[in-house]
């Protein structure tokens, strides 16, 4: 029998040690697998690192992965702080990109580039927030389940973009092939010494979100609403309005991620533009414990892994499945260390960690429910 | 009361040298505590003195850093509440955790374990029966549960969903639940904090019956009169240490307080004269409110409060006190009637506008944390809860909140390791002081204090009475909703009695008696009393 208890606190040093340890365990395990499959272990890892940071192209690719992931996760984290389960990131990315695409098609082509880009970003924000507010409206006013609703909105968005792709916005210049025209060249985000200026998006948004949550009244309200709606109500907060604004911001920022992706990398709209970022971002947001700066860090790690895994397929001829295993193992171990950091597992009576404080215990085999034991999400 | 303590008995349990730390907070410092079978033993101490922690150690929720526990002479090491209940230790927490949608019976049966064969405990047959019937015949299960409960004089309908039970009935369900799991050592953590005096009396007779049948009972309470009336012995904790164990019949309440606080304190309410000008502050006219299920809660209620006066509100639980507070604070909208402050209408305004008009409310709900505080935030961020909206601009002002938090911590002697320490980790009483301190610091014209001393130790209760009196001297109009009639009479200038949402009359505290208020609480109006009519 064992039980899992939440730790009272941990020091910064502990945090770093645990995470490094988790990372090393992941490397060791994936090393064993790579060796077992007959690939040179050391060289594979070197290539993995090379693939993510080894050359300017690699870095550029890692960054271009990082941008949509982090911006989306930052957007979602606002909703998650309100305990509003916005699972609709993928759809909001697509609709943000769609709105930006639409704007680029109607704006006069002679318009100055920066102005055009700004209008597209604003359109992206609006597109994403409208898509988030549809389920939001029903949740706020009729208490529907937002998890399911936002999830379904993803598929609706994919279908809608497909319709645009094959029918409404089909580009006649493509001679019968389906597809939407490219955005005008001047609307594409420029590169400065090899680095896309799109990197500014997460850098600015992380500051905005951090500031919003920590320093503004709205952010404070969002945190209170997430903790307890009755309390917010008692304090005289307009819970509906706060939720509305929160969902709007959340969807809007995710929409901006879509617009940035359109303007910074794909250049045209298709239903695969999101590329699953809307889902990966959910993991990132929680892994980062909904802290804005951490979100950028975690996104970076995941983007690097992703990039490196692709590279070893090409360079070492490692099959895609193995690359995925390596990626998965490292991620799992880091996740695991995060868990070990926040909780501890007790086996016998004499645990080495007796000094560490436990405050509430959860025993999976226990039928009794006692009020002191909490499996609360980490305080945010 | 006849003492049933017999020294030749083995203690039901004994805890020796129990030490428990939370981070840097030493909650229990080498505590010794033992209780005999058939004894009702009180655990007394100020807020934060470590009572709940000690009992959580005994019931297997926390593991002690040091010390040992013996149960019926056997050394035990509990690793989970399940281990403790297997040894016969059951705890009734202050916050009940019943599945609201399930019936009382289902709540009781869920998690019951089949007793081991031939364990020799006397209720094994009954428990096996209940478990056997549980899935097949709810009626028979209920019958068995009713039979079992009646042994202790507990009455409730086991077929209705737990969500519809009153607080005291929920408590009964919890008691039956632990007893049916074989508990013979029962820990009750402030069971009477949310009960009316009548309900408390009923609980006492239940506890006495259980003790007479050999149960060992630990009773935590801040109400000395309850301890004097119910318990055999009392153990006093102070700052995490066990100070002394005394036999109740040999000690008086004042000595107990002195042991608890560590010095003599003055336990009298010094009532300043009310402002003779009698300027009207709050004017409530014909307030009528029915809740969403059209149950009438307030019935044509009218009264006025004056500046520089404390108006008490007495009444049975559910007599409309909560709805009255919430109507004034703008949280619910009464269907009829009007509310004026300084001759200005506040009915229909938003809660925030009402706060801005100078109305502050300190309402301690039954679960303390549920409303009014954000559990995971620290004191300073909780102070912000009401204030942040009053400052200009889109940003919160943390600095002001920090200064205020420090001030409140000093004034009310709140025990906390830091301003950012989550309030859910404070002891019950300290949590409450945070709410009260925040509301007082809004400098209101009208201060509503509802159940403000719920769960507070005596010393803190008097601190709060004094704070309310200070408010009164500052010419604030105070509306005090309370349960303890003695305190109402000592503290308030006038007392309004509510019964089913109706105003039974307002009496002068200096000339009324508890009996008079009691009769009005059960439905006789003041006029009828004066004419000599009584329905009770
Ligand atoms: N889970 C916890 N984490 C950190 N500190 C805690 C925890 N539980 C209790 N404490 C601290 O331990 C001390 C003792 O708390 P405890 O709840 O046992 O007091 P108490 O005597 O029950 O008080 P009250 O009468 O107010 O309920 C307090 O200072 C409290 O802040
Ligand atoms: Mg307690």
């Amino acid at each position: 029998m064992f039980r899992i208890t939440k730790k009272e606190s941990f020091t910064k040093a502990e945090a770093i040690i645990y995470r490094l340890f988790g990372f090393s365990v992941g490397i060791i395990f994936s090393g064993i697998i790579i060796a077992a499959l007959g690939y040179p272990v050391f060289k594979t890892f070197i290539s993995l690192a090379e693939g993510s940071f080894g050359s300017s192209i690699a870095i550029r690719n890692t960054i271009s992965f990082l941008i949509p992931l982090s911006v989306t996760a930052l957007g979602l984290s606002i909703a998650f702080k309100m305990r509003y389960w916005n699972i609709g990131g993928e759809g909001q990315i697509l609709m943000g990109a769609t709105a930006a695409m639409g704007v680029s098609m109607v704006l006069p082509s002679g318009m100055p580039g920066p102005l055009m880009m700004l209008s597209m970003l604003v359109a992206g924000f609006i597109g994403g927030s409208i898509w988030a507010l549809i389920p939001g409206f029903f949740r706020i006013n009729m208490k529907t389940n937002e998890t399911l609703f936002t999830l379904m909105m993803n598929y609706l968005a994919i279908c809608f973009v497909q319709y645009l792709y094959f029918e409404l916005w089909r580009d006649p210049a493509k001679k019968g092939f389906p597809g939407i025209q490219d955005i005008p060249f001047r609307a594409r985000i420029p590169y400065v010494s090899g680095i896309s200026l799109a990197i500014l998006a997460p850098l600015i948004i992380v500051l905005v979100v951090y500031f919003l949550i920590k320093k503004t009244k709205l952010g404070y309200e969002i945190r209170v609403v997430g903790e307890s709606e009755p309390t917010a109500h008692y304090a005289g907060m307009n819970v509906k309005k706060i939720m509305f604004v929160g969902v709007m911001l959340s969807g809007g920022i995710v929409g901006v991620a879509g617009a940035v992706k359109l303007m910074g990398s794909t250049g045209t709209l298709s239903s695969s533009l999101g590329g699953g970022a809307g889902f990966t971002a959910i993991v990132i947001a929680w892994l980062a414990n909904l802290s804005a700066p951490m979100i950028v860090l975690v996104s970076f790690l995941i983007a690097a892994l992703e990039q490196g895994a692709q590279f070893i397929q090409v360079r070492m001829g490692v099959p895609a499945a193995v690359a995925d295993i390596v990626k998965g193992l490292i991620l799992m171990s880091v996740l695991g260390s995060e868990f070990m950091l926040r909780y501890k597992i007790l086996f016998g009576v004499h645990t080495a960690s007796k000094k560490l404080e436990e405050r509430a215990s959860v025993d999976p085999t226990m039928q009794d429910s006692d009020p002191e034991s909490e499996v609360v999400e980490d305080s945010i | 009361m006849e003492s049933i303590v017999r020294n030749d008995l083995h203690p039901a349990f004994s805890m020796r040298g129990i030490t428990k730390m939370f981070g840097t907070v030493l909650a229990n410092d080498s505590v010794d505590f033992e209780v005999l079978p058939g004894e009702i033993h009180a655990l007394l101490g100020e807020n934060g003195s470590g009572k709940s922690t000690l009992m959580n150690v005994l019931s297997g929720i926390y593991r002690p850093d040091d010390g040992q526990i013996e149960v019926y002479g056997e050394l035990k090491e509990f690793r989970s509440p399940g281990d403790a209940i297997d040894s016969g230790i059951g705890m009734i927490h202050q916050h009940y955790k019943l599945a609201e949608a399930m019936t009382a019976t289902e709540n009781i049966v869920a998690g019951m374990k089949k007793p081991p064969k031939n364990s020799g405990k006397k209720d094994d047959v009954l428990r096996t029966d209940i478990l056997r019937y549980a899935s097949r015949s709810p009626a028979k299960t209920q019958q068995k549960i009713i039979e079992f409960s009646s042994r202790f004089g507990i009455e409730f309908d086991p077929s209705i969903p737990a969500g519809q039970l009153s607080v005291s009935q929920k408590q009964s369900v919890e008691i039956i639940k632990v007893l049916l799991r074989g508990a013979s050592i029962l820990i009750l953590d402030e069971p009477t904090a949310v009960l009316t005096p009548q309900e408390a009396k009923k609980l006492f007779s239940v506890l006495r019956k259980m003790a007479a049948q050999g149960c060992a009972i630990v009773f935590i309470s801040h109400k000395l009169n309850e301890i004097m009336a119910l318990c055999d012995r009392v153990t006093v904790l102070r700052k995490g240490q066990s100070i002394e164990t005394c036999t109740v019949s040999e000690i008086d309440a004042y000595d107990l307080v002195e042991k608890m606080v560590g010095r003599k304190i003055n336990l009298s309410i010094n009532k300043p004269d009310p402002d003779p000008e009698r300027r009207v502050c709050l004017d409530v006219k014909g307030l009528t409110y029915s809740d969403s299920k059209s149950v009438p809660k307030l019935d044509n209620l009218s009264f006025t409060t004056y500046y520089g006066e404390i108006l008490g509100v007495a009444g049975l639980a559910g007599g409309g006190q909560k709805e009255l507070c919430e109507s004034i604070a703008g949280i619910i909208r009464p269907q009829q009637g009007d509310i004026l402050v300084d001759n200005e209408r506040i009915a229909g305004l938003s809660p925030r506008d009402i706060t801005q008009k100078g109305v502050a409310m300190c309402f301690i709900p039954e679960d303390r944390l549920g409303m009014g505080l954000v559990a995971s935030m620290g004191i300073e961020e909780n102070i912000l809860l009401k204030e942040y909206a009053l400052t200009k601009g889109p940003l919160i002002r943390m600095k002001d909140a920090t200064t205020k938090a420090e001030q409140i911590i000093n004034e009310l002697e709140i025990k906390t390791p830091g301003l950012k320490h989550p309030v859910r980790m404070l002891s019950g009483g300290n949590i409450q002081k945070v709410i009260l301190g925040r509301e007082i610091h809004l400098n209101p014209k009208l201060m509503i204090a509802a159940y403000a001393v719920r769960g507070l130790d005596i010393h803190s209760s008097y601190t709060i009475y004094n704070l309310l009196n200070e408010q009164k001297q500052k010419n604030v109009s105070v509306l005090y909703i309370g349960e303890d009639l003695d305190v109402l009479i000592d503290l308030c200038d006038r007392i309004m009695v509510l019964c089913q949402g109706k105003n039974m009359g307002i009496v002068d505290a200096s000339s009324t008696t508890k009996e008079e208020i009691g009769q009005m609480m059960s439905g006789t109006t003041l006029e009828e009393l004066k004419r000599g009519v009584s329905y009770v």
Side-chain angles (χ1 to χ4, degrees):
Chain A
M1 203 183 81
F2 67 93
R3 61 195 186 114
I4 299 164
T5 70
K6 198 162 193 279
K7 275 186 208 166
E8 186 52 42
S9 62
F10 46 83
T11 61
K12 283 230 158 74
E14 269 182 308
I16 292 170
I17 291 169
Y18 271 77
R19 286 176 186 139
L20 279 181
F21 179 74
F23 188 72
S24 332
V25 167
I27 297 281
I28 291 168
F29 274 119
S30 43
I32 292 172
I33 292 198
I34 293 168
L37 291 170
Y39 295 97
V41 178
F42 196 64
K43 239 180 122 188
T44 310
F45 280 125
I46 295 287
S47 314
L48 189 77
E50 236 178 278
S52 20
F53 322 109
S55 62
S56 62
I57 298 180
I59 293 176
R60 204 184 294 168
N61 283 341
T62 301
I63 287 177
S64 83
F65 255 129
L66 160 101
I67 294 165
L69 283 180
S70 53
V71 175
T72 308
L74 285 168
L76 294 182
S77 71
I78 295 178
F80 292 162
K81 285 234 184 235
M82 297 189 295
R83 302 270 156 96
Y84 176 97
W85 310 123
N86 182 4
I87 311 297
E90 193 75 7
Q92 288 147 26
I93 293 177
L94 277 179
M95 295 315 281
T98 305
M101 182 81 218
V103 165
S104 81
M105 289 160 75
V106 297
L107 285 181
S109 54
M111 201 172 179
L115 205 60
M116 191 174 234
M117 285 190 262
L118 196 66
S119 337
M120 286 169 72
L121 285 175
V122 172
F125 185 92
I126 295 173
S129 56
I130 289 177
W131 208 246
L133 279 173
I134 297 170
F137 175 82
F138 286 95
R139 158 64 214 274
I140 292 164
N141 291 303
M142 287 158 219
K143 297 230 173 286
T144 54
N145 179 326
E146 79 275 10
T147 316
L148 280 177
F149 206 151
T150 50
L151 182 67
M152 291 192 302
M153 292 300 281
N154 289 333
Y155 302 110
L156 219 58
I158 292 175
C159 292
F160 181 66
V161 172
Q162 273 168 353
Y163 166 71
L164 296 177
Y165 192 83
F166 287 102
E167 300 285 336
L168 201 60
W169 285 356
R170 186 171 186 153
D171 184 8
K174 286 207 157 57
K175 306 215 167 76
F177 287 104
I180 302 174
Q181 69 187 57
D182 282 357
I183 56 167
F185 184 72
R186 62 177 70 207
R188 301 201 67 145
I189 296 173
Y191 283 75
V192 170
S193 52
I195 293 178
S196 167
L197 282 186
I199 188 64
L200 289 177
L203 295 183
I204 293 170
I205 291 171
V206 70
L207 291 179
V208 170
V209 170
Y210 183 83
F211 186 76
L212 173 88
I213 295 292
K214 293 273 181 203
K215 303 281 179 208
T216 68
K217 289 182 177 177
L218 178 65
Y220 178 71
E221 287 171 329
I222 283 176
R223 284 184 286 148
V224 174
V225 167
E227 177 87 29
S228 155
E229 277 187 44
T231 302
H233 203 68
Y234 247 67
M237 296 181 183
N238 185 339
V239 175
K240 285 186 176 182
K241 193 178 122 202
I242 295 163
M243 275 243 174
F244 186 90
V245 178
V247 170
M248 187 185 84
L249 283 175
S250 173
I253 292 177
V254 179
V256 168
V260 169
K261 176 113 193 211
L262 176 81
M263 294 150 65
S265 70
T266 64
T268 184
L269 179 68
S270 78
S271 60
S272 62
L273 177 132
F279 296 108
T280 314
I282 299 173
V283 181
I284 294 175
W286 283 111
L287 207 53
N289 212 6
L290 302 188
S291 133
M294 279 299 288
I295 284 178
V296 178
L297 234 100
V298 175
S299 305
F300 181 70
L301 177 74
I302 294 204
L305 261 178
E306 189 75 41
Q307 198 51 44
Q310 281 186 15
F311 187 72
I312 54 173
Q313 290 175 43
V314 183
R315 163 70 76 83
M316 309 290 300
V318 174
V322 176
D324 277 347
I325 290 177
V326 171
K327 196 173 81 190
L329 271 174
I330 295 177
L331 200 59
M332 275 279 292
S333 313
V334 175
L335 262 172
S337 74
E338 206 64 25
F339 178 82
M340 301 295 277
L341 184 62
R342 284 171 215 286
Y343 299 87
K344 61 176 171 169
I345 301 174
L346 297 174
F347 292 97
V349 181
H350 301 287
T351 40
S353 53
K354 215 170 172 178
K355 273 179 280 132
L356 293 169
E357 279 314 318
E358 63 190 274
R359 61 173 284 266
S361 56
V362 189
D363 183 347
T365 60
M366 194 185 78
Q367 295 101 335
D368 214 322
S369 71
D370 64 79
E372 300 293 318
S373 63
E374 304 174 291
V375 212
V376 285
E377 289 91 327
D378 227 38
S379 48
I380 293 155
Chain B
M1 183 193 155
E2 185 206 0
S3 172
I4 27 175
V5 182
R6 287 189 311 234
N7 290 328
D8 53 318
L9 281 174
H10 253 311
F13 69 84
S14 80
M15 304 174 85
R16 274 192 299 271
I18 300 293
T19 298
K20 176 76 193 165
M21 289 192 73
F22 294 106
T24 55
V25 180
L26 188 55
N28 285 157
D29 182 2
S30 186
V31 175
D32 297 328
F33 183 47
E34 64 175 44
V35 176
L36 304 174
E39 181 191 26
I40 306 182
H41 197 127
L43 197 53
L44 183 67
E46 287 188 281
N47 296 124
S49 57
K51 304 179 295 294
S52 301
T53 306
L54 185 68
M55 289 302 102
N56 284 335
V57 166
L58 181 60
S59 60
I61 291 168
Y62 296 149
R63 292 210 300 170
D65 298 317
D66 204 356
Q68 41 180 297
I69 303 173
E70 266 178 29
V71 181
Y72 294 113
E74 234 178 278
L75 200 61
K76 297 274 180 186
E77 185 130 18
F78 299 138
R79 274 189 274 156
S80 73
D83 287 357
I85 193 103
D86 287 343
S87 308
I89 297 174
M91 180 154 173
I92 315 284
H93 293 273
Q94 206 183 327
H95 314 240
Y96 311 128
K97 270 285 168 76
L98 295 172
E100 304 262 298
M102 297 204 317
T103 66
T105 307
E106 286 164 339
N107 268 296
I108 290 170
V109 175
M112 252 174 84
K113 266 191 224 164
K114 223 169 136 183
K117 272 201 187 112
N118 308 324
S119 77
K121 286 198 191 147
K122 61 182 173 178
D123 290 321
D124 281 357
V125 182
L126 178 82
R127 285 198 274 158
T128 321
D129 276 358
I130 289 181
L131 276 180
R132 216 182 22 206
Y133 293 136
S135 52
R136 283 176 276 152
S137 160
K140 265 197 186 147
T141 323
Q142 281 167 21
Q143 189 51 43
K144 289 276 173 201
I145 289 176
I146 291 173
E147 256 171 50
F148 182 74
S149 318
S150 63
R151 250 196 253 168
F152 308 100
I154 297 178
E155 285 166 6
F156 63 93
D157 180 354
S159 64
I160 50 178
Q164 289 170 25
L165 296 172
S166 72
V167 185
S168 105
Q169 286 168 325
K170 279 184 190 164
Q171 193 176 56
S172 303
V173 174
E174 293 273 9
I175 293 177
I176 293 299
K177 201 167 116 183
V178 280
L179 287 179
L180 271 177
R181 286 180 203 183
S184 56
I185 297 168
L186 200 68
I187 306 162
L188 297 113
D189 194 353
E190 297 189 42
T192 55
V194 292
L195 298 186
T196 61
Q198 293 79 358
E199 290 168 332
K201 264 194 194 144
K202 240 196 234 161
L203 175 69
F204 294 169
S205 88
V206 169
L207 295 181
R208 286 198 187 102
K209 282 193 182 122
M210 292 189 335
Q213 294 178 30
C215 285
I217 296 170
V218 180
F219 179 82
I220 302 181
S221 173
H222 290 296
K223 299 177 189 166
L224 288 178
N225 52 350
E226 293 180 350
I227 293 178
M228 299 312 262
L230 177 72
C231 303
D232 301 306
R233 290 194 298 167
V234 50
T235 294
V236 179
L237 293 189
R238 190 200 312 152
K239 301 200 170 110
Q241 292 173 327
S242 43
I243 299 299
E244 199 173 330
T245 299
C246 335
T247 306
V248 167
S249 53
E250 292 165 4
I251 194 165
D252 73 29
Y254 286 99
D255 294 337
L256 275 180
V257 175
E258 200 181 322
K259 288 193 200 327
M260 193 170 114
V261 185
R263 62 192 148 91
K264 274 204 162 43
I265 56 163
N266 180 9
L267 287 190
S268 61
I269 301 173
N270 147 33
K271 195 197 284 189
D273 283 332
D275 183 22
E277 276 184 44
R278 290 175 62 96
R279 281 190 304 125
V280 174
C281 173
L282 171 75
D283 192 3
V284 173
K285 292 179 186 159
L287 216 55
T288 301
Y289 173 77
S290 307
D291 67 10
S292 56
K293 293 183 191 112
S294 353
V295 181
K297 291 288 185 185
L298 295 176
D299 187 355
N300 197 15
L301 181 67
S302 305
F303 65 93
T304 48
T305 73
Y306 303 114
Y307 281 104
E309 169 212 61
I310 302 184
L311 175 67
V313 179
L316 296 177
Q321 297 95 322
K322 181 172 184 228
E323 289 75 15
L324 173 62
C325 295
E326 294 190 336
S327 310
I328 300 172
I331 291 154
I332 58 171
R333 296 269 147 98
Q335 283 89 2
Q336 273 171 41
D338 213 346
I339 305 170
L340 308 165
V341 169
D342 276 347
N343 277 321
E344 239 184 291
R345 251 191 112 195
I346 59 161
L349 296 183
S350 71
R352 185 163 295 159
D353 291 340
I354 292 174
T355 309
Q356 250 152 345
K357 293 253 186 268
V359 178
M361 180 159 90
C362 159
F363 186 102
I364 307 297
E366 279 151 12
D367 63 351
R368 286 188 193 168
L369 266 178
M371 292 178 262
L373 282 184
V374 187
S376 73
M377 292 184 180
I379 294 183
E380 43 177 21
E381 283 189 305
N382 271 297
I383 299 288
L384 267 182
L385 199 58
K386 280 279 177 75
E387 299 209 326
Y388 82 97
L390 304 180
T391 56
K392 285 206 190 86
L395 302 185
I396 53 175
R397 300 213 182 134
M398 215 55 199
K399 268 209 197 104
D400 299 356
T402 309
T403 332
K404 255 191 194 153
E406 278 164 355
Q407 216 174 328
I408 291 171
I409 289 172
N410 280 335
E411 275 170 28
L412 302 193
E413 297 172 26
I414 297 172
K415 292 186 191 101
T416 173
L419 294 174
K420 294 196 166 30
H421 197 68
V423 292
R424 65 152 188 260
M425 288 182 193
L426 301 185
S427 83
N430 286 313
I431 289 176
Q432 235 156 299
K433 290 185 191 169
V434 176
I435 304 187
L436 199 79
R438 179 183 71 201
E439 299 298 316
I440 286 178
H441 269 262
L442 289 171
N443 287 328
K445 290 179 189 165
L446 171 67
M447 170 90 197
I448 306 171
Y451 312 112
V453 296
R454 207 170 236 172
L456 285 194
D457 65 46
I458 303 178
H459 189 190
S460 314
S461 300
Y462 278 82
T463 312
I464 289 193
Y465 302 143
N466 289 334
L467 280 169
L468 291 176
N469 269 327
E470 261 170 42
Q471 293 293 303
K472 168 176 158 183
Q473 277 173 308
K474 281 192 197 151
N475 237 9
V476 174
S477 169
V478 180
L479 189 65
Y480 178 86
I481 289 115
E483 281 165 332
D484 188 332
L485 296 185
D486 290 315
V487 170
L488 277 166
I489 291 174
D490 284 350
L491 177 70
C492 305
D493 300 301
R494 297 181 301 146
I495 299 168
M496 169 168 77
V497 184
L498 288 185
C499 176
Q500 296 176 347
K502 282 200 207 60
N503 182 352
M504 294 284 113
I506 298 182
V507 293
D508 193 339
S510 56
S511 62
T512 190
T513 58
K514 279 207 271 181
E515 288 66 38
E516 189 179 39
I517 297 178
Q519 281 187 322
M520 289 166 71
M521 273 163 61
S522 40
T524 319
T525 63
L526 186 59
E527 280 150 46
E528 285 165 342
L529 270 181
K530 281 188 179 149
R531 288 205 312 267
V533 195
S534 168
Y535 299 121
V536 267

